[in-house]
Amino acid sequence: MDIVSENRSFGGVQGVYTHDSNTCGCEMTFAVYLPPQAEEGPVPVLWYLSGLTCTHENAMTKAGLQEHAAMHGLAVVFPDTSPRGEGVANDEAYDVGQGAGFYVNATRSPWRPHYRMYDYILNELRDVVTAEFKVDGRHGITGHSMGGHGALTLAMRNPDQFDSVSAFAPIGNPTKSDWGRKQFSAYLGDDEASWADHDATMLLEDKGWKGDILVDQGGADQFLDLLRPDALAEMLARRRQAGTFRMQKGYDHSYFFVNSFAGDHVAWHADRLY
């Protein structure tokens, strides 16, 4: 692991790091915020997964999580959204290829050699973070848009590895949306039965979640038809899943929306991780 930068932030340290990933077969960049409480001992971890076109940097600089994390004593991990670099497959479209890994393990060419973001987040980067930073075994996960999809699906499929889950405007039903069908066809193939493991609404029906779930959605989000929050909310109700779905009037899909409710989510995770 190499240090790219480390800066003091709200009494803690915001760092950016690179490492050679065996899972993705390329160099990967990620960021970690360590709160001041980490100087006294290991702290719980909140994973933040970003959306389409983002890198580790977008949420690190725009979501405003550091102040809240410092207040509650949580580390925050900001992974990248896809593998990158020379030799890594890409596409001219913004919603497939680099910046659009969708947190799946690709099984089709040309994506298969590098696009293994599911395993990367769940196993390899988790091992790096726990080995290199003062964090303990309590892990929560959240994310925005494509990252909200990733947070919900990783948590529901791996309840032994995550203790809390929330999402900001997640892609809630990707098997029925152009934000999902296009990417799953490219990465996973045309067998739609294999897509179910990456659809939060379908996973909620099949597996549910061991605790409660927090979801915030902007009521003026310009991508509502692609996100399909109605399907996710209806399944929460139908399954009688413990949780809170909040439609926030007037808010769009931007980081202004995420920043506005970041404090609520960090506090919510802290209550479940401590």
Side-chain angles (χ1 to χ4, degrees), residues 76-219:
V76 184
V77 180
F78 304 90
D80 202 346
T81 55
S82 75
R84 299 178 192 272
E86 186 177 352
V88 175
N90 199 12
D91 191 275
E92 292 182 358
Y94 76 94
D95 57 356
V96 66
Q98 294 185 32
F102 259 77
Y103 305 103
V104 303
N105 291 334
T107 58
R108 294 188 68 194
S109 296
W111 316 104
R112 183 170 54 193
H114 301 285
Y115 283 74
R116 303 188 60 80
M117 292 301 294
Y118 181 88
D119 280 352
Y120 175 69
I121 300 294
L122 189 65
N123 298 312
E124 186 176 28
L125 186 56
R126 186 185 180 105
D127 288 345
V128 171
V129 169
T130 55
E132 298 291 341
F133 299 92
K134 288 186 177 180
V135 300
D136 61 29
R138 296 168 290 177
H139 291 244
I141 188 166
T142 188
H144 174 228
S145 194
M146 179 184 73
H149 138 78
L152 292 170
T153 56
L154 263 73
M156 282 190 276
R157 291 180 63 187
N158 301 278
D160 57 326
Q161 296 210 43
F162 296 102
D163 301 298
S164 57
V165 60
S166 73
F168 300 85
I171 303 174
N173 191 200
T175 62
K176 303 296 184 182
S177 168
D178 287 343
W179 277 357
R181 295 188 63 82
K182 174 183 178 180
Q183 294 80 7
F184 292 170
S185 293
Y187 297 143
L188 304 175
D190 296 328
D191 179 9
E192 295 191 19
S194 69
W195 301 357
D197 280 345
H198 304 286
D199 186 302
T201 297
M202 298 177 73
L203 283 171
L204 191 60
E205 181 178 29
D206 180 46
K207 299 178 181 296
W209 170 246
K210 63 183 181 181
D212 53 347
I213 299 171
L214 173 62
V215 177
D216 273 308
Q217 172 63 60

Side-chain angles (χ1 to χ4, degrees), residues 188-253:
L188 304 175
D190 296 328
D191 179 9
E192 295 191 19
S194 69
W195 301 357
D197 280 345
H198 304 286
D199 186 302
T201 297
M202 298 177 73
L203 283 171
L204 191 60
E205 181 178 29
D206 180 46
K207 299 178 181 296
W209 170 246
K210 63 183 181 181
D212 53 347
I213 299 171
L214 173 62
V215 177
D216 273 308
Q217 172 63 60
D221 194 314
Q222 60 270 46
F223 302 115
L224 282 175
D225 290 345
L226 294 166
L227 300 171
R228 291 181 57 81
D230 51 333
L232 183 61
E234 288 169 8
M235 187 56 69
L236 282 165
R238 188 190 314 169
R239 204 183 193 280
R240 295 176 173 84
Q241 171 69 49
T244 303
F245 187 103
R246 306 192 301 190
M247 186 65 74
Q248 302 292 359
K249 183 178 180 180
Y251 284 88
D252 60 19
H253 198 68

